[in-house]
Amino acid sequence: MDTLPLQGLKVLDLSRLLPGPYATLVLADLGATVDKVEEPNGGDYIRQMPPLRDGESALFYGLNRNKRSVTLDLKSEAGREAFKRLVRGYDVLVESFRPGVMDKLGLGEAVLRAENPRLIYCAISGYGQTGPDRLKAGHDLNYAARAGVLAYGGAAGGAPAFPGVQMGDIGGGSLFALVGILAALHERERTGRGRFVDVSMTDGTVAFLHMHLAARLAMGEQGAPLQRGREALNGGYACYGLYGTQDGRWLAVGALEPKFFAGLCERLGRMDLFADGYDTAEAGARVKAELARLFAEHPLAYWQERFAGTDLCIEPVLEGDEVCKDPQLQARGLFVEAEDAQRGRRMTHLLTPLRMGPTPLRPPPTLGQHSQQILAEAGLSPEEMLHLKIIIPVVSRDSEDVS
């Protein structure tokens, strides 16, 4: 089967940086036509962000394959009118402005719905479209902090653990945007009308804490507030944690179930540690300290060999480029090379996790690369395009390689 599930779906992407572009990358990888609407002077901010290769942002490259680019000045009357005409031919719109920005431009949901009643309008913002902080600036770290996720990670009595990855942007923003968009598309099959999808990255980040926070609410007065580093899955159990090795590397020990922890203790010749492995007080701390001492006696390679074939939920913490060489990830096809004829070189792509057919690997667009084509599809004449002063870059032919 050579077709992709979202083939024929048209997405208009006004978002920038990470949350919206990753969501639309997933849609594009699944076959949707995704067209980025960018301002003429610079476009998506991430185009200028390092690291750069031959003057082009690697961050932009990794997030924007399989998309087209059209430039429009939405602050101009001509740009706004052209945008309204564009909207008529699309199924989904994604934007990531602060609440109210599109209304100030004269392009809010009500205006666009008048142009296209079937439009799914997805707005991704830090704190959502409602509430006292709806207009507040923020970044991923702020959303994780407000959601309680930061406070739940780290050593007991110590500082919160810096996450290192964008949980709010991807988990709270991109993925819930995708859920909302696909749910709204399913609803549209029944009602014939689109809907507004309000995605708060802070709300979405709370989802990472759902099991623990929901249990806390269920316990009511009989329960206790969540505590950093003292509970079963955040460092409280000796059988579930990170342990350093002699060579400065780390092991992720996830021997949570008794059968796994018993197997670990047996492999270490220390069955005496088993009884207190699930204690979160002093006895458990002693087991944790003893495990830390044992693992620190040998390098990572020793422990990998020692636990080879045991299936005890123990894995090395991969560092840097080791992830790209991991045989399981390679076997799953996450890393794929393709020729980029536009740039004259082969590039390695990191695919999105859900693959339901041959993933297209068209290179990301230069700014305004497809302006004429996209606007012509919307019915604008060459004369009308002249008034828009669109960017029409000179580029070589697109690569049509697929994995």
Side-chain angles (χ1 to χ4, degrees), residues 309-371:
T310 59
D311 201 24
L312 296 175
C313 302
I314 300 170
E315 298 291 346
V317 175
L318 299 186
E319 301 273 1
D321 286 350
E322 289 177 341
V323 176
C324 305
K325 300 171 184 175
D326 181 81
Q328 173 64 21
L329 297 180
Q330 289 184 336
R332 292 287 295 169
L334 278 176
F335 315 109
V336 178
E337 277 195 10
E339 189 69 30
D340 185 337
Q342 200 166 288
R343 293 159 181 83
R345 59 174 177 262
R346 289 190 67 77
M347 300 290 289
T348 300
H349 293 262
L350 172 60
L351 299 192
T352 47
L354 191 61
R355 292 181 295 287
M356 303 174 71
T359 304
L361 293 175
R362 293 182 297 276
T366 55
L367 182 61
Q369 178 179 340
H370 306 94
S371 292

Side-chain angles (χ1 to χ4, degrees), residues 88-368:
R88 296 170 192 168
Y90 286 79
D91 299 289
V92 178
L93 180 147
V94 179
E95 56 103 331
S96 57
F97 300 117
R98 289 198 211 188
V101 168
M102 289 290 281
D103 288 312
K104 289 179 182 177
L105 289 170
L107 298 170
E109 184 210 356
V111 171
L112 299 182
R113 192 157 311 288
E115 300 290 339
N116 181 357
R118 291 175 57 82
L119 183 69
I120 310 298
Y121 185 123
C122 178
I124 305 172
S125 62
Y127 299 100
Q129 301 293 309
T130 59
D133 291 333
R134 58 189 287 272
L135 300 179
K136 195 172 185 179
H139 282 295
D140 185 274
L141 191 66
N142 307 121
Y143 312 142
R146 290 291 294 274
V149 171
L150 278 188
Y152 201 58
F162 199 97
V165 295
Q166 286 64 55
M167 291 187 293
D169 286 356
I170 297 291
S174 308
L175 299 186
F176 277 100
L178 288 165
V179 172
I181 288 167
L182 295 175
L185 285 168
H186 180 72
E187 180 188 51
R188 194 179 71 177
E189 290 296 307
R190 185 174 69 253
T191 66
R193 294 189 60 82
R195 122 175 342 258
F196 186 81
V197 180
D198 173 12
V199 177
S200 159
M201 287 184 274
T202 304
D203 291 2
T205 307
V206 174
F208 285 92
L209 206 57
H210 184 99
M211 180 172 70
H212 313 289
L213 189 57
R216 166 71 188 103
L217 294 172
M219 289 300 296
E221 294 181 358
Q222 297 180 37
L226 302 182
Q227 298 182 71
R228 174 163 60 253
R230 300 183 188 279
E231 301 187 13
L233 301 181
N234 73 347
Y237 283 178
C239 62
Y240 196 86
L242 299 172
Y243 292 94
T245 60
Q246 187 185 59
D247 52 349
R249 298 296 301 272
W250 293 85
L251 281 169
V253 176
L256 187 61
E257 291 82 1
K259 66 176 182 179
F260 293 133
F261 189 50
L264 167 62
C265 293
E266 182 179 4
R267 198 72 175 174
L268 294 174
R270 293 295 305 273
M271 286 303 297
D272 59 299
L273 300 177
F274 178 78
D276 293 325
Y278 298 91
D279 183 87
T280 58
E282 290 184 11
R286 287 194 294 270
V287 174
K288 191 183 297 185
E290 183 60 14
L291 287 175
R293 185 190 68 79
L294 290 170
F295 284 123
E297 289 182 346
H298 300 283
L300 178 65
Y302 170 88
W303 293 114
Q304 288 180 282
E305 183 178 348
R306 183 79 179 268
F307 290 113
T310 59
D311 201 24
L312 296 175
C313 302
I314 300 170
E315 298 291 346
V317 175
L318 299 186
E319 301 273 1
D321 286 350
E322 289 177 341
V323 176
C324 305
K325 300 171 184 175
D326 181 81
Q328 173 64 21
L329 297 180
Q330 289 184 336
R332 292 287 295 169
L334 278 176
F335 315 109
V336 178
E337 277 195 10
E339 189 69 30
D340 185 337
Q342 200 166 288
R343 293 159 181 83
R345 59 174 177 262
R346 289 190 67 77
M347 300 290 289
T348 300
H349 293 262
L350 172 60
L351 299 192
T352 47
L354 191 61
R355 292 181 295 287
M356 303 174 71
T359 304
L361 293 175
R362 293 182 297 276
T366 55
L367 182 61

Side-chain angles (χ1 to χ4, degrees), residues 37-117:
V37 179
E38 303 184 74
E39 55 188 1
N41 298 318
D44 188 341
Y45 305 146
I46 208 169
R47 285 184 180 273
Q48 287 78 47
M49 295 177 67
L52 304 177
R53 180 173 180 179
D54 297 333
E56 182 177 28
S57 171
L59 301 178
F60 180 85
Y61 196 98
L63 287 168
N64 290 284
R65 69 168 167 265
N66 298 328
K67 301 178 186 180
R68 302 189 298 179
S69 171
V70 55
T71 54
L72 283 177
D73 179 5
L74 298 183
K75 294 180 180 179
S76 72
E77 183 63 28
R80 288 191 292 271
E81 289 305 312
F83 184 76
K84 290 178 187 178
R85 291 174 66 175
L86 268 184
V87 163
R88 296 170 192 168
Y90 286 79
D91 299 289
V92 178
L93 180 147
V94 179
E95 56 103 331
S96 57
F97 300 117
R98 289 198 211 188
V101 168
M102 289 290 281
D103 288 312
K104 289 179 182 177
L105 289 170
L107 298 170
E109 184 210 356
V111 171
L112 299 182
R113 192 157 311 288
E115 300 290 339
N116 181 357

